[in-house]
Every structure is written in C-alpha cells, then in structure tokens.
C-alpha cells in the first residue's frame, strides 16, 4: 500500500482527487458541528454555556495527539524504508499538529478563566499538552535547523521516535506529579460520562478537524515536494 | 533495533549472489584481491555523483584517485569505509562484502580522512593511543587502563619516528602546527603497518605536507605495498609516487581508469 | 569482549585526561552552579522555611542548567576534528563507544555538581541527615540527564545553532527526571518513604540506558553521511 502511494507522481494524482472531497467533508462537518455545538446541544448544568468551548478543545486535543503519533509512524517509514515522501509527510504534519496543540492550550485557558477563575492551571492534562507542544517545537526546529533542508530529515525523524517513546513516560510522570501536589480537580476538562447530545457535536467537530488536517497536510506536502525538486535541480546545476 | 531492521530489509537484492563466488567470481574471497568494486553508484544531494564504477585492486598495488575539487574523491573513500550509503552496486575488501558484519569489514580497512582525528586537549601519545584502541590493534590485555602498555607505546614511538615527529610526543595536539597535525594523522597508518591486509584509504595526504614529510610518506607506502599491502590515495595533479593504477573522477560518469 | 571493553575504557580515559588538562573548566561549571542558587534567596527573601521548601527544585534546576552548556559541547569538537569519524569506522560497535562517552560525561559533568550539591543544600537550609540518599538521587537523575543530553547533542550536530536546539530538545524530555527527582528529595526532607521515587527514577534510567546509546550512535552516523 505504502509503496504504491510512495511514488510522487501517483501521490499527486491521488491527492488531487482527494483534496476537494476532504475539503467538502470538512466544510460540511464544520457547519453542522458548529450548529450542533452552539444551538442544538444543551448547556451543562455545572459549567453552563462555557461547556461549548469543549467542542473545539477536546477534538483539537485528540488531533494533537493523533498527529504526533502519525508523524512517528511516518518517521519509522522514513528511517526504515528511506521513502522521502514519509519525511515530507512528517514535516507537513508538524505545523498543523503544533497548531492543534496550541488551540487546545488556548481554549483550555479560555475555559479555565470562568471555571477556575484563572487563565492557567497546572492541570495534568494541560501540562502534558504543553509538553507535547514543546515536542512539536523541538521537531520543527531540528527539521529546519540545517543549511541543507534534507540534512535535518533523519535527526528529526529520530527525535520523533524518541519523543513518541517518551510521551507515555512524560504523561505518566505528569499525572503522578499532579496527584502528588493537588487533589484531582472536581471539574475535569471532560466529565466521566457524557450525554449523547454533547457527544454528537464532539464527534462531528472531530471529523471536521480531521478533514481540515488532511487537506492542510496534502497542500503542505505538495509544496514541500516542489521545493525539494527545485533544490535538487539547483544542486545538480551547480555541479555541471 | 530500528537500525537492525533497516539493515535487514535493505540488503541489496543480489546480496546472496554476491557472497557466492560462483556467480560473482571477482568478489569471492581472495587473498590477493584487496578491493573489488562492482557497478558502484553513489548519490549526493539528489543526483548521482559516481556511477557504474568497476575496479579491482590486487595486493601490493596503489590506486591513485585523481579528480578536481568536488569530483567525488572524498565521497568515494568515505563510501568505501561505509560512512556514506551506496546508491547501487557492491564492493568487497579482501573478499569481505560491504554488507557483511560491521566489525568484520572495518577490520579490513584504515581511513585517514581530511580531518586529522587528533583529540585537541590530549598530547600526541595519548591521542594516538586512543586511535590505536579504536582501531582494535591493542594486542596485550592491560591491567591498569591509566598506563599505556609498553608494547603500544613502542609502536606509537616507531610511528612518530617514521613521520619525523618523535620529539613532539609529549606536546599537546592543539599546540601543533597544521603540517605537524597532518603528520600525526598519517602516523596512524604506521600503527597498523604490520597488518598488511588492511586497505589504506588516504584522503589527499600530500596537500599540507612539506618535502620531508612527503618523502617519508612515500617510503611508508612503498614499504607497505612491498609487503603486500594496498592503498587508495586521492589527490589532484600528480603524486610523488608511481601508482599502479589511476582512476580519474569527474571525466565521465564512471570515471576513467588507466 | 576485550575488543569492545578496551576501546570503551580508552574513550573514558581519554575524556577524563582531556578534562583534567583544564581543571579550571570544571571549576567554572561549579561556580556557575552555585551562583545560580545564590540568586534565588536574593530574589525570594531569606525565609528559611520557604527556601527549604523550594530547595529540591532549585538543586535540580541548577543541575539541569549547569550541565546543559557542557552537554551541548559533548560532540561538536570531536566531530570537527574527525575523531567521531574514526569511532564510526572502528570495529567496536558505535553504541558501546557512545555508552562509554556517556559514562565519561557523567564523571566529568555530573559528578562534580553532585559533590557540590550539599553546599547548596546548606545554603537553603536542607536537613542533611540523609545526605547520602540525596546524592544518590542526584547521581542517578544526573545519569538520565546525560543520556538525554547525549541524544540531543548528537541530533543537533551540524545544525545552525546547536546550543538553543539542544536546550529545546533536552528540556521537555527531562521533565520526568525533574518530577521524580524533586519528589524524591522532597520526600527525603519530610522523612517520608522514598523507595517508590527511587524505583521510578531507576526505571527511567533503565529505559534511557536502552534508548540513548543506539539513538546517539545513529544520530552521529547520520551527521557524518
């Protein structure tokens, strides 16, 4: 499957066909999701109207984690099978991934203001997300940190693997730290059980974000492929 | 783990053929065939720098690798030391194919790159001592790692003497001149001079050397080859030594052999 | 076996000998470590109780920040001199040589800081009756920091601004070391049981021991390609 997709020309054909579909799905899901989130779902009896922030916050958090795992999978493909497309995929996903992590932190902070009375609380989940955001920053800095762009690919992919191995450890240590320093908060970012009326907009918004993520990734990948072609041509020219 | 899988999945398709001498007689184990290169290609920055290279170097022969700057001399030497992945093709040193066990292949060669590999804060002896250990040429087991075994010290002194820098033995590396540091790098060759099966890969040795050092190096190489050793030496223009073979890179895709 | 052990010992000895040539460097690292800790009471006020409470964090952060610049230099010089190239073409596995490098770095960078830590402890009014255990925590956590630092230093080899990059790679990854380490020393202070903390830190060390040398070796190989 991967070999089939790894051919850049074929990738371009498939992605060109896929792009409008994904954009359309994403747009429809966003419209529907926002409608459900703001008009067709009840306010929480405890959190009131602020619960609607969750419909952005939670899917973004899911996407931030999913994206990092996808990047690590791409890194394995790149390091083992040396497919340049896998490296390009990881690079393309990094920015939207960091964006999701940032949106999660931002909306978490918006939610925390009325709920906790402060913009930032060292909640275990928020702290883990902050560290995930740092890991994204580290990857992006390393991938683009070399004079020749391709030189950064292998170290950056290696860093992704180290990061994905460390992620559960970091998550565990932060959770552990949190229980050590403060009792578990009464108001968790998502309740233990969730009403179906709230679950529906959550899933629709997640679909919307997934579609948007795929579209952005495809666009960024095509751009990176073009850039790489140009730099390869320049390198070849400088020899002759 | 990752790398193991990577290596396993990335054996060239004809790896098994290569190790069987009936299909590739030229790459079969042989005592007097030091280096055998078969249809080698190396890519650099998206293009092929070297391609379709075929070569056989017998015991006692010197190969001169000639070419302009950027023609791929260093790249080829480093690829033969497995520092740069091959794009295509295969090679074997003393019949040990490049896909063989890392240690087995590394025991067949010795590389003096354009960097001198002197540890700046150490003195000449300590630095060479580290290199001797890395090259695995320490014979005797040592009790106290602090002390340099007599055998190794003697070897180091002989090497330094051969390159005319014996008086500098206690001098710190960072206090040496560029030419002296180059001599120190070449002294590494002498450390293993009695292991004539090791293929010497020397990158532009004559560049920073004065006449005296160049003459000494010529003597070292000549005597090594007379005992059955072989060397690949890169440079541009001419070499103060008559090579058995010259490979000119950069003229045509595969280079020109004469 | 000897073909692996001897070169590793030689690498450790060479590093120690090179660092002993300039003992002033170790000393200035130590001064930096202690000066950093001096700044805090000046800013926070001299309340002993308050200081003792934040002392474990202070010591850990001082260890992290004082070791970081040295970690960053772990490979840059020997890469430029071509020593790493010779390590890569050694018959001895690069992973083993990197393990030796990590041990040497621990001896040179971390050990002096660990030995100087009681000074900070006294300045911050820490109870020193369980000093040996505290040094143990610092030593093991310091090994974790060195292993993370070695990976980062190898990954950034040849990049445009290695110092900043090393920091942004090292700091998120060393979060668990900080958490377990601080909790351990805090537990020591309050006299609580700290076997659990020690085991968590030990588990982390084992994971890094498996992860760090091969990753460092691979990153260096990539940097020399």
């Amino acid at each position: 499957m991967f070999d089939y997709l790894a051919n850049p020309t074929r990738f371009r054909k498939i992605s060109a066909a896929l792009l409008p579909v994904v954009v359309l799905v994403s747009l429809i899901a966003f419209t529907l999701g926002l409608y459900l989130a703001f008009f067709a779902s009840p306010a929480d009896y405890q959190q009131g109207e602020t619960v609607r922030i969750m419909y952005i916050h939670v899917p973004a958090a899911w996407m931030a984690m999913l994206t990092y795992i996808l990047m690590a999978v791409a890194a394995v493909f790149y390091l083992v099978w040396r497919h340049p497309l896998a490296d390009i995929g990881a690079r393309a996903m990094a920015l939207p991934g960091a964006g999701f992590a940032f949106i999660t932190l931002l909306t978490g902070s918006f939610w925390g203001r009325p709920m906790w009375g402060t913009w930032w609380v060292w909640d275990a989940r928020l702290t883990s997300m902050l560290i995930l955001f740092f890991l994204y920053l580290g990857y992006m800095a390393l991938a683009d940190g070399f004079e020749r762009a391709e030189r950064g690919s292998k170290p950056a992919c290696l860093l992704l693997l180290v990061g994905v191995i460390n992620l559960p450890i970091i998550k565990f240590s932060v959770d552990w730290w949190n229980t050590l320093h403060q009792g578990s908060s009464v108001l968790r970012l998502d309740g233990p059980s969730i009403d179906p009326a709230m679950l529906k907009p959550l899933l629709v918004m997640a679909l919307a974000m997934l579609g948007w993520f795929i579209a952005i990734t495809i666009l960024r990948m095509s751009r990176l492929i073009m850039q790489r072609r140009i730099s390869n041509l320049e390198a070849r020219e400088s020899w002759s | 783990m990752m790398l193991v899988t990577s290596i396993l999945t990335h054996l060239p398709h004809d790896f098994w053929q290569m190790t069987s001498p009936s299909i590739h007689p030229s790459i079969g184990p042989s005592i007097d065939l030091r280096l055998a290169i078969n249809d080698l290609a190396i890519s650099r920055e998206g293009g092929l720098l070297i391609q379709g290279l075929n070569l056989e170097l017998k015991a006692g022969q010197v190969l001169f690798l000639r070419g302009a700057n950027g023609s791929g001399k260093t790249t080829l030497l480093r690829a033969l030391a497995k520092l740069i992945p091959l794009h295509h093709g295969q090679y074997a040193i003393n019949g040990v194919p490049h896909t063989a066990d890392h240690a087995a292949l590394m025991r067949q060669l010795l590389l003096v790159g354009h960097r001198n590999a002197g540890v700046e804060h150490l003195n000449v002896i300590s630095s060479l001592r580290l290199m001797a250990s890395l090259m695995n040429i320490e014979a005797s087991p040592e009790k106290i790692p602090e002390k340099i075994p007599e055998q190794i010290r003697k070897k180091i002194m002989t090497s330094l003497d051969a390159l005319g820098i014996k008086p500098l033995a206690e001098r710190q590396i960072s206090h040496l001149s560029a030419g002296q540091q180059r001599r120190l790098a070449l002294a590494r060759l002498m450390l293993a001079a009695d292991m004539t099966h090791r293929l010497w890969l020397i990158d532009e040795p004559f560049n920073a050397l004065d006449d005296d050092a160049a003459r000494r190096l010529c003597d070292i190489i000549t005597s090594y080859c007379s005992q059955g050793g072989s060397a690949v030496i890169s440079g541009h223009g001419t070499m103060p030594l008559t090579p058995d073979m010259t490979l000119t890179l950069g003229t045509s895709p595969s280079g020109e052999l004469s | 076996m000897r073909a692996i052990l001897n070169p590793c010992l030689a690498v450790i000895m060479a590093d120690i000998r090179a660092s002993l040539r300039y003992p002033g460097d170790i000393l200035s690292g130590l001064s930096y470590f202690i000066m950093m800790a001096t700044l805090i009471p000046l800013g926070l006020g001299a309340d002993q109780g308050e200081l003792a409470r934040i002392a474990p964090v202070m010591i850990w952060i001082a260890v992290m920040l004082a070791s970081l610049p040295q970690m960053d230099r772990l490979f840059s010089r020997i890469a430029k001199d071509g020593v790493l190239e010779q390590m890569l073409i050694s018959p001895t596995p690069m992973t083993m040589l990197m393990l030796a490098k990590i041990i040497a770095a621990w001896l040179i960078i971390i050990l002096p800081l660990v030995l100087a830590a009681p000074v900070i402890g006294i300045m911050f009014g820490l109870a020193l009756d369980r000093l040996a255990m505290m040094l143990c925590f610092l030593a093991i956590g310091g090994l974790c920091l060195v292993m993370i630092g070695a990976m980062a230093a190898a990954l950034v080899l040849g990049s445009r601004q290695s110092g900043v990059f090393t920091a942004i790679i090292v700091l998120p990854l060393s979060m668990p070391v900080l958490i377990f380490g601080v909790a351990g020393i805090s537990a020591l202070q309050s006299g609580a049981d700290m076997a659990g903390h020690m085991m968590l830190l030990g588990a982390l060390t084992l994971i890094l021991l498996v992860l760090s040398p091969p990753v460092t070796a691979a990153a260096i190989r990539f940097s020399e390609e």
Side-chain angles (χ1 to χ4, degrees):
Chain A
M1 215 287 271
F2 192 79
D3 266 334
Y4 180 78
L5 279 176
N7 177 324
T9 330
R10 205 174 288 133
F11 166 80
R12 218 172 35 205
K13 264 189 208 153
I14 293 171
S15 64
L18 197 62
L19 191 60
V21 181
V22 186
V23 170
L24 200 67
V25 168
S26 176
L27 278 178
I28 293 172
F30 258 122
T31 324
L32 184 65
L34 287 176
Y35 170 75
L36 286 174
F38 283 103
F39 304 106
S41 72
D44 191 85
Y45 81 99
Q46 249 181 339
Q47 306 176 16
E49 295 294 334
T50 46
V51 74
R52 303 192 196 282
I53 295 175
M54 289 299 108
Y55 301 126
I56 307 270
H57 177 86
V58 175
W62 288 345
M63 285 307 299
M65 286 184 279
L66 176 70
T67 305
Y68 199 83
I69 292 168
L70 286 177
M71 282 165 69
V73 171
V76 172
F77 272 103
Y78 182 64
L79 289 177
V80 177
W81 289 280
R82 304 280 150 97
H83 274 304
L85 214 54
D87 165 50
I88 287 174
R91 282 166 184 268
M93 284 187 271
L95 194 63
F100 284 127
F102 185 70
I103 290 172
T104 311
L105 292 171
L106 202 67
T107 50
S109 161
F110 287 163
W111 183 84
R113 182 68 191 144
M115 283 298 111
W116 291 324
T118 162
W119 292 107
W120 180 260
V121 162
W122 289 98
D123 168 78
R125 284 154 188 268
L126 276 180
T127 310
S128 300
M129 188 52 71
L130 184 64
I131 295 173
L132 181 62
F133 181 61
F134 289 157
L135 287 178
Y136 275 115
L137 292 187
Y139 168 80
M140 289 193 289
L142 193 60
D144 288 330
F146 293 83
E147 296 296 342
R148 205 159 49 80
E150 277 161 77
R151 171 64 182 78
S153 303
K154 284 178 186 173
C157 283
L158 212 51
L159 178 64
L160 279 177
L161 294 187
V162 173
V164 90
I165 292 172
N166 265 284
L167 214 51
I169 303 174
I170 293 173
K171 178 94 181 99
F172 167 75
S173 67
V174 170
D175 282 348
W176 185 80
W177 160 82
N178 199 47
T179 53
L180 201 72
H181 285 262
Q182 56 191 86
S184 59
S185 31
V186 188
L187 288 171
R188 299 295 291 266
L189 283 190
D190 49 353
S193 64
I194 192 165
D195 189 82
M198 291 181 173
L199 189 63
K200 212 191 296 164
L202 212 57
L203 292 178
V204 175
M205 283 304 283
L207 180 69
M209 285 194 188
L210 186 68
W212 180 81
F213 166 73
I214 295 174
I216 292 286
T217 304
I218 288 174
L219 286 174
R220 279 176 56 81
M221 279 178 81
S222 333
R223 212 195 63 183
L224 285 170
I225 290 172
M226 282 306 171
Q227 273 179 354
R228 197 156 285 193
R229 286 220 175 120
I230 291 168
S231 69
N232 279 353
L233 281 177
E234 279 170 352
R236 224 164 292 176
E237 218 136 84
S238 69
W239 293 343
S240 47
Chain B
M1 256 299 286
M2 281 309 312
L3 293 172
V4 174
T5 0
S6 147
I7 290 161
L8 285 181
T9 47
H10 262 83
L11 292 175
H13 305 297
D14 41 4
F15 168 66
W16 303 111
Q17 297 173 11
M18 224 185 72
T19 44
S20 113
S22 59
I23 298 173
H24 273 291
S26 64
I27 298 192
S30 153
I31 302 161
D32 36 63
L33 198 58
R34 288 273 176 254
L35 175 65
I37 297 178
N38 188 359
D39 195 21
L40 191 80
I42 306 168
S43 72
R44 258 355 223 167
E45 304 191 13
L48 286 179
L49 186 53
I50 292 169
Q51 67 183 76
L53 182 63
N54 289 291
L55 188 108
E56 281 186 4
L57 193 67
K58 292 195 177 63
Q61 283 186 322
V62 174
L63 171 69
F64 182 36
L65 207 55
R66 199 171 63 178
N69 296 333
S71 59
K73 301 186 294 287
T74 303
T75 304
L76 180 57
L77 284 176
R78 284 168 59 81
L80 290 178
K82 239 179 136 178
L83 287 164
I84 294 173
L86 303 184
H87 181 266
H88 178 76
Q90 59 271 130
Y91 69 89
I93 304 176
N94 294 326
V96 180
H98 74 280
T99 44
D101 172 51
H102 175 79
L105 185 69
M106 291 307 147
R107 277 186 228 282
Q108 313 302 323
L109 60 89
L110 209 153
L111 171 73
V112 176
H114 61 87
R115 291 170 294 179
N116 296 324
V119 186
E120 64 165 349
H121 291 336
L122 294 182
N123 64 18
V124 169
I125 294 190
S126 304
S127 181
L128 268 187
R129 159 76 210 289
L130 175 63
M131 289 304 139
S133 290
L134 289 179
M135 285 150 66
N136 282 13
I137 55 173
E138 268 174 308
S140 67
E142 41 179 318
K143 294 281 185 301
I144 322 153
E146 174 63 36
K147 278 187 96 167
I148 301 178
E150 210 37 55
Q151 208 179 337
I152 297 293
R153 174 178 284 272
K154 229 163 89 188
K155 229 177 202 174
I156 291 176
M157 282 312 185
T158 328
S159 311
L160 292 177
D161 200 27
L163 281 140
I165 47 173
K166 198 174 176 184
L168 303 177
E170 301 289 338
R171 198 78 80 76
Q172 193 175 328
I173 303 281
S174 47
H175 298 166
L176 299 182
S177 75
Q180 287 168 333
Q181 291 199 17
R182 195 65 191 148
R183 288 186 193 219
L184 171 70
L186 293 165
R188 272 206 325 268
L189 297 170
M190 277 304 289
L191 285 178
D194 52 346
M195 306 159 122
T196 48
H197 65 281
R198 286 205 172 195
L199 176 69
W200 285 2
L201 305 167
I202 320 175
D203 200 359
E204 304 201 329
F206 293 103
N207 274 9
L209 296 185
D210 57 17
D211 291 345
D212 171 59
R215 206 175 45 246
R216 283 169 189 274
L217 180 62
C218 287
D219 290 346
I220 290 171
I221 295 172
T222 318
S223 113
Y224 187 63
C225 292
S226 69
Q227 292 163 38
S230 294
V232 181
I233 301 167
S234 76
H236 32 245
T238 53
M239 189 169 63
L241 194 79
T242 343
D244 302 279
M245 237 190 286
T246 302
L247 174 66
T248 311
L249 289 175
T251 44
S252 68
S254 62
E256 204 170 87
L257 203 60
S258 61
Chain C
M1 196 56 214
R2 193 155 283 284
I4 292 176
L5 200 61
N6 268 2
C8 289
L9 282 178
V11 167
I12 296 176
M13 288 315 298
D15 271 7
I16 291 175
R17 205 175 300 200
S19 79
L20 288 183
R21 179 133 337 211
Y22 295 105
D25 287 4
I26 298 179
L27 216 61
S28 61
L30 279 180
S31 331
Y32 177 48
F33 178 60
I34 300 204
M35 281 177 199
M36 227 181 321
T38 317
L39 293 178
I40 302 301
L42 292 179
L44 193 72
D47 175 33
Q48 279 295 331
E50 183 90 346
L51 285 179
R53 206 173 56 76
I54 63 156
V57 192
M58 253 330 289
I59 292 180
W60 273 107
I61 290 183
V63 168
M64 278 168 85
L65 292 185
S67 59
L68 212 89
Q70 302 191 62
M71 233 98 88
D72 178 48
R73 286 198 300 265
L74 216 50
F75 300 118
S76 55
R77 188 67 217 195
I78 55 172
K80 205 183 282 167
D81 288 342
V83 179
L84 280 180
E85 182 180 76
Q86 289 299 317
M87 287 184 170
L88 284 171
I89 63 163
S90 165
T92 310
M94 188 62 172
T95 305
M96 286 298 148
L97 294 175
M98 287 304 107
L99 187 61
K101 203 76 192 144
I102 287 168
I103 294 170
W106 182 83
L107 288 170
I108 295 163
I109 301 172
I110 298 296
L111 198 59
L113 297 182
V114 171
L115 296 180
V119 178
I120 296 185
I122 292 167
M123 285 161 69
F124 279 71
L126 271 187
L128 291 181
D129 48 337
R130 293 167 89 181
L131 185 68
M133 281 315 289
M134 183 180 108
L135 297 190
C136 224
F137 266 109
L138 285 174
I140 296 178
L143 182 59
C144 293
L145 291 182
V146 168
M147 289 194 282
I148 295 168
M151 284 196 285
L155 285 170
V156 303
L157 267 181
S159 66
R160 273 185 272 114
Q161 37 175 322
S162 61
V164 186
F165 290 166
T166 314
I168 53 178
I169 292 172
V170 165
L171 293 179
L173 293 179
S174 36
M175 225 61 91
V177 184
L178 184 72
I179 290 174
F180 297 143
V182 170
I185 295 185
S186 298
L188 272 180
Q189 285 307 298
S190 58
D193 180 43
M194 45 84 232
H197 305 98
M198 187 58 98
M199 272 186 237
L200 284 173
L201 204 55
L204 190 62
T205 313
L206 289 181
I207 293 171
L208 282 170
L209 213 50
V210 175
L211 188 67
S212 173
V215 168
T216 310
I220 286 175
R221 190 164 284 282
F222 294 154
S223 81
E224 289 281 335
E225 264 177 15

